Amino acid sequence: MQHSPHIADGLSGLHAALQALKERNIEFQYTHVHQVIGQGDFVLTMSEGLFDGQHTAFYDLFRVEDGKIAEHWDVIEAILPAEKRKNSNSRF
């Protein structure tokens, strides 16, 4: 089950969403995984990369069942340049 409003459930939904980005020439790339935290059936990844040419933070939460991803939630947020930030805190 996909909880992102822009992606349909299942691998076919993910494939269709990635294909739509490609057709619109929107780059989507993970460049660094900062942390992976797991507890019970849940795994959280905190990563950064590029989304449509903008430096971006990616937070992905997965629920795993029988060794497969059963559910996925995400938060995608632009990372402002240092000079535009209101403080020196990092996203990670």
Side-chain angles (χ1 to χ4, degrees):
M1 182 179 297
Q2 176 59 257
H3 295 280
S4 175
H6 307 289
I7 304 173
D9 289 342
L11 286 176
S12 61
L14 177 61
H15 182 267
L18 293 174
Q19 187 64 33
L21 291 175
K22 183 178 179 181
E23 289 171 3
R24 293 173 39 205
N25 292 322
I26 295 175
E27 180 183 17
F28 176 63
Q29 178 184 21
Y30 288 86
T31 58
H32 186 83
V33 176
H34 288 275
Q35 271 190 311
V36 178
I37 302 169
Q39 183 174 350
D41 294 343
F42 290 92
V43 177
L44 173 68
T45 62
M46 294 181 279
S47 309
E48 70 181 286
L50 297 172
F51 186 80
D52 199 15
Q54 187 165 14
H55 192 202
T56 302
F58 302 101
Y59 301 87
D60 292 283
L61 179 64
F62 303 94
R63 185 177 68 80
V64 179
E65 184 177 288
D66 297 325
K68 296 180 182 180
I69 296 171
E71 293 185 76
H72 172 253
W73 297 261
D74 65 353
V75 174
I76 300 173
E77 183 177 23
I79 299 174
L80 294 174
E83 64 274 4
K84 291 188 176 183
R85 297 178 194 164
K86 296 188 187 256
N87 59 52
S88 61
N89 297 338
S90 167
R91 290 278 182 243
F92 309 101

